[in-house]
Amino acid sequence: MHNRWSASAAEEMVQTLAPRYGEALALRTYASRLLGSDPALVLHGGGNTSVKGVWYNLLQEPIAALYVKASGWDLARIEPEGHTPLALDYLQRLRQLPELSDAAMVQAVRGQRLDPDGATPSIETLLHAFLPYTCIDHSHADAILTLSNQQQGAALLAEALGDEVIILPYVHPGFALAKAVADAHDRAPHSRGMVLMQHGLLTWGETAEASYATMIELVSRAEAFIAARLTPLPQASAAEEEAAWQRYRQLAPRLRGVLALPGRTADQPFDRFLLLPLIDRQLLALLAQEGAAATLLTPPLTSDHLIRLKPLPLWLDAAALQDEALLQAVARYRQAYRAYIARHAPDGAVAEEATDDTPRLLLLPGIGAVCVGANEEEAARVRDLLRQTLQVKGAILGMGGRYQGLSEADCFAMEYYGPQRAKLAAAQEAPLARQVALVTGSAGAIGSGLCRELLAQGVHLAASDLPGPGLQSLLAELQASHGQRVMAVAMDVTDPASVAQGVEQVVERWGGVDLLILNAGLAHVSSLETMQVETFQRLQRVNVEGTLHLFAALAKLWRQQGTGGDAVLISTKNVFAPGAQFGAYSATKAAAHQLARIASLELAPLGVRVNMVAPDGVFSDGDRPSGLWAEVGPDRMRARGLDAAGLEAYYQNRNLLKARITASHVARAVLYFVTRQAPCTGVTLPVDGGLPDATPR
Ligand code: ZN
């Protein structure tokens, strides 16, 4: 491991931040970022740092202060505000207390904020307060955990790090740990650092640079020690990796279905999870190793992984994937989890609704790992923690060691530890947060409006269209505001192989599809007398066959998932009130509409609802002109002697409400169905401002 301290970068930081925050906090910020930007040291808001200094009140009186990392800040991107100033004297005197509950500790620490608007300080604050050093760094370094989390770990650490480092057996984080750390330090006051078994490493110094340098030096020693004793594991072949992906694609929809929980009422959809796979050659080889289950089917590396990973993964070998066996394996996991709660929680201490018994990490020999979350962000966090877990547990296996994690009681104490649970208390979930939607014809005017409104309701969105700049620019636009919740799927709806491939891409990414919005369509203006049959057939392929291919592909998928679904066809008012010169469009859309009605009959037994939204013309969505209007607008303008604005006004004025129909209106009608406001299937909802001739009948 490299010491990445740069005198010039540190100086630059001092130049920028010191005038406002002082030199000590500027350098603390710099060193914290160095620590945070190395995933072999800390991950996802893990680890913490502090600096002791002075705070001046309004009377310019100096107060001894501890600036400690606030929870919610990531060390990699920390700003000076990420270290909350606290009155140090009182916190240090708390050490006299024989004990202090977690709730009282959190209250006491928050009460010592010198800036009342300061962020909530780290739950490890007292540990920083009790140690008598200006700067303290704390990491959960891979190399340290590789040694601290195996049998005879303390002896290995002593050999690797020498006697300048204290080794402290596991203590539950909070007041007890802070006291144990301070006591251990007092017994060996000349030490340079301390390993907390099954937890991480502490280093200290009079400057941020010194404390950081000790951190790097000790972790490097551990790395060298491990490297000298490690037999590298073999890697699976490329063919084995391809076979693993193949198996995963087949399994994922059913697996996602088995993990889903029934909706809380008959009207509500299933509470589904997003699945993110981790399939690589190293992991495949690791899972195939002798003793892999004994090493990997074990508690997490550190207590802060617990709330994300749960105490144990679910191990599913090939036999467990067959038919009923998969259901049983998941049911057994849930039962075992509840039994674990019952063993450790005093009566009623963990409310039924707080008991979340769904596994978050699945290990499947021959396939890889599957990370489970209520959304992409949660599942991705599991995947990052899994990568670190595999690094550490794999190294232990490679050293010929035996993994030694937290005891079950320690797992429970930490999984249901108040200050940790607080991190999970997320904002209320958006209505469609656990659903994956596939929208066809996304790059058009109605399509992009649909994508935006669905994303606003929390969906994970697969935006599909023909490959090209339209789809690319839509993806860039949507990702800018919704990040990883959006993917683009290049798909030609007229080609069943392309449809199958597109659906497969979504299955690989998130595990399945729940909502299908059939919006791809083509229009053409021609009288029947002059209609080219090839043109008619081109519309038929997109509007009719495209609808058929998508229903066929999704019906298979929904049968595998077993958790129902919703489909909405973007139909048209022309199905009910066709226009002259518009035969190819009206006839093919009518056929698509009829297919959707048939789908509502055939898919109801699977719990799938199929409905239709029938808009009048939508001209554009922001800067995106509608493709349909690019095709028919010029002709209609000529026929009526109007310009573009005039034509739009003409359409607006012909409906009862004098409404200009927008993509958002169409999207909100779709939302009415997919958020399951009422038990509807086979229903057509016109969005046309009131056109009596086009009322469905
Ligand atoms: Zn820690």
Side-chain angles (χ1 to χ4, degrees):
M1 176 161 292
H2 243 58
N3 184 326
R4 293 183 298 128
W5 186 278
S6 143
S8 59
E11 178 54 29
E12 206 172 296
M13 199 81 148
V14 169
Q15 296 284 337
T16 328
L17 297 177
R20 192 161 160 213
Y21 300 98
E23 184 174 329
L25 194 53
L27 290 172
R28 178 67 282 173
T29 303
Y30 171 66
S32 301
R33 287 185 192 169
L34 288 184
L35 210 64
S37 55
D38 190 338
L41 286 173
V42 299
L43 269 185
H44 280 308
N48 41 62
T49 53
S50 67
V51 58
K52 296 185 182 80
V54 179
W55 166 271
Y56 290 93
N57 64 17
L58 290 177
L59 303 174
Q60 290 306 307
E61 295 159 343
I63 297 171
L66 169 69
Y67 293 78
V68 70
K69 199 207 97 166
S71 60
W73 282 87
D74 200 312
L75 285 176
R77 285 174 291 279
I78 201 159
E79 297 291 339
E81 290 79 6
H83 284 92
T84 302
L86 303 163
L88 180 59
D89 286 346
Y90 177 74
L91 294 180
Q92 284 177 329
R93 284 188 290 121
L94 288 176
R95 198 180 155 191
Q96 308 161 16
L97 293 174
E99 55 192 33
L100 186 61
S101 75
D102 294 332
M105 177 187 75
V106 169
Q107 283 287 77
V109 168
R110 286 167 60 115
Q112 295 306 306
R113 279 180 293 187
L114 291 165
D115 172 359
D117 296 331
T120 300
S122 160
I123 54 174
E124 279 159 349
T125 293
L126 290 184
L127 182 158
H128 291 265
F130 294 171
L131 282 173
Y133 297 98
T134 305
C135 284
I136 297 169
D137 289 22
H138 170 48
S139 77
H140 302 160
D142 291 359
I144 297 298
L145 293 171
T146 302
L147 299 174
S148 73
N149 286 38
Q150 54 175 303
Q151 288 176 12
Q152 275 86 50
L156 294 172
L157 281 160
E159 196 184 336
L161 303 181
D163 54 11
E164 314 160 299
V165 178
I166 301 166
I167 292 158
L168 188 73
Y170 180 81
V171 177
H172 178 65
F175 184 70
L177 176 62
K179 270 187 76 140
V181 164
D183 292 349
H185 170 268
D186 288 354
R187 288 192 296 272
H190 302 296
S191 310
R192 299 177 62 209
M194 190 181 308
V195 173
L196 313 177
M197 294 297 281
Q198 281 87 28
H199 183 161
L201 178 62
L202 283 167
T203 58
W204 44 70
E206 286 317 302
T207 62
E209 183 179 4
S211 180
Y212 170 76
T214 306
M215 175 68 67
I216 301 304
E217 183 192 330
L218 295 181
V219 173
S220 300
R221 276 193 217 167
E223 284 179 340
F225 181 86
I226 293 163
R229 286 158 184 79
L230 188 74
T231 314
L233 295 173
Q235 288 214 344
S237 68
E240 284 167 310
E241 188 185 357
E242 185 41 50
W245 274 109
Q246 184 68 28
R247 290 186 200 111
Y248 179 68
R249 284 190 286 265
Q250 279 173 8
L251 173 69
R254 197 160 70 88
L255 187 56
R256 184 162 176 263
V258 169
L259 291 172
L261 300 163
R264 271 147 281 184
T265 66
D267 255 344
Q268 279 178 315
F270 277 77
D271 269 340
R272 304 166 173 113
F273 293 89
L274 278 289
L275 308 187
L276 295 192
L278 179 67
I279 296 174
D280 66 36
R281 291 157 73 173
Q282 234 170 339
L283 174 57
L284 283 167
L286 184 59
L287 289 168
Q289 281 284 306
E290 175 91 23
T295 302
L296 298 176
L297 190 51
T298 48
L301 302 181
T302 70
S303 59
D304 65 341
H305 287 199
L306 263 166
I307 52 167
R308 310 285 176 195
L309 297 179
K310 309 231 137 243
L312 290 176
L314 169 58
W315 185 274
L316 294 168
D317 51 28
L321 303 180
Q322 307 301 317
D323 310 318
E324 287 297 291
L326 182 61
L327 269 172
Q328 287 161 6
V330 172
R332 270 199 306 277
Y333 182 94
R334 292 190 192 278
Q335 272 163 16
Y337 184 81
R338 281 168 183 272
Y340 145 81
I341 300 281
R343 274 196 298 281
H344 296 280
D347 284 347
V350 177
E352 175 66 19
E353 58 273 17
T355 309
D356 166 6
D357 57 13
T358 303
R360 292 300 194 275
L361 176 58
L362 281 46
L363 297 173
L364 305 97
I367 295 181
V370 180
C371 306
V372 180
N375 51 53
E376 155 95 27
E377 198 187 343
E378 254 187 53
R381 210 181 268 259
V382 170
R383 189 159 61 180
D384 290 344
L385 296 179
L386 167 66
R387 286 200 176 99
Q388 188 195 16
T389 303
L390 293 172
Q391 178 70 29
V392 170
K393 292 184 178 177
I396 292 173
L397 200 62
M399 287 175 76
R402 281 187 74 85
Y403 183 77
Q404 175 76 57
L406 298 176
S407 72
E408 190 184 278
D410 285 330
C411 282
F412 178 82
M414 208 51 202
E415 192 180 0
Y416 286 88
Y417 178 53
Q420 285 285 83
R421 300 297 294 179
K423 293 184 189 170
L424 287 182
Q428 202 177 356
E429 218 170 43
L432 300 176
R434 289 161 171 260
Q435 310 213 31
V436 177
L438 171 63
V439 177
T440 69
S442 291
I446 292 182
S448 60
L450 282 167
C451 290
R452 263 202 329 274
E453 298 279 345
L454 282 164
L455 282 166
Q457 300 304 315
V459 291
H460 293 73
L461 179 83
S464 87
D465 211 309
L466 289 170
L471 184 58
Q472 283 316 312
S473 72
L474 176 71
L475 178 70
E477 182 189 318
L478 297 176
Q479 276 186 338
S481 39
H482 300 283
Q484 294 305 302
R485 259 200 304 127
V486 190
M487 69 182 287
V489 175
M491 183 196 282
D492 175 358
V493 298
T494 67
D495 173 5
S498 168
V499 169
Q501 220 169 54
V503 171
E504 201 163 76
Q505 272 179 52
V506 190
V507 167
E508 268 186 21
R509 172 72 181 265
W510 289 317
V513 177
D514 310 302
L515 310 179
L516 168 64
I517 316 298
L518 297 129
N519 172 61
L522 277 187
H524 179 72
V525 178
S526 163
S527 68
L528 300 183
E529 193 179 341
T530 58
M531 177 86 70
Q532 305 273 325
V533 71
E534 291 77 15
T535 306
F536 188 90
Q537 285 165 343
R538 193 162 56 88
L539 264 69
Q540 175 166 295
R541 278 196 296 277
V542 174
N543 296 352
V544 187
E545 291 172 30
T547 302
L548 175 64
H549 298 324
L550 276 147
F551 272 128
L554 269 292
K556 286 190 196 86
L557 186 72
W558 283 328
R559 197 175 293 284
Q560 281 179 293
Q561 291 181 173
T563 53
D566 284 86
V568 179
L569 173 79
I570 306 305
S571 182
T572 164
K573 73 107 193 158
N574 289 60
V575 168
F576 307 95
Q581 312 287 319
F582 223 29
Y585 181 70
S586 301
T588 54
K589 286 299 276 188
H593 191 97
Q594 197 74 326
L595 282 177
R597 292 180 63 193
I598 304 290
S600 75
L601 305 176
E602 293 182 357
L603 301 180
L606 297 180
V608 176
R609 302 176 181 191
V610 184
N611 294 289
M612 290 75 80
V613 169
D616 197 2
V618 170
F619 285 74
S620 60
D621 178 50
D623 295 340
R624 272 170 216 280
S626 126
L628 187 138
W629 277 93
E631 173 74 26
V632 304
D635 175 82
R636 287 294 193 265
M637 287 189 273
R638 257 195 317 279
R640 301 205 165 87
L642 296 165
D643 61 6
L647 188 67
E648 197 167 342
Y650 167 80
Y651 275 85
Q652 186 169 345
N653 282 319
R654 78 178 180 178
N655 68 56
L656 295 173
L657 299 175
K658 310 296 176 211
R660 178 177 165 267
I661 308 303
T662 66
S664 287
H665 293 144
V666 179
R668 280 178 227 157
V670 168
L671 289 179
Y672 173 77
F673 290 123
V674 301
T675 55
R676 301 204 156 180
Q677 302 293 314
C680 300
T681 194
V683 169
T684 302
L685 178 54
V687 180
D688 56 15
L691 293 172
D693 288 349
T695 303
R697 73 204 110 159

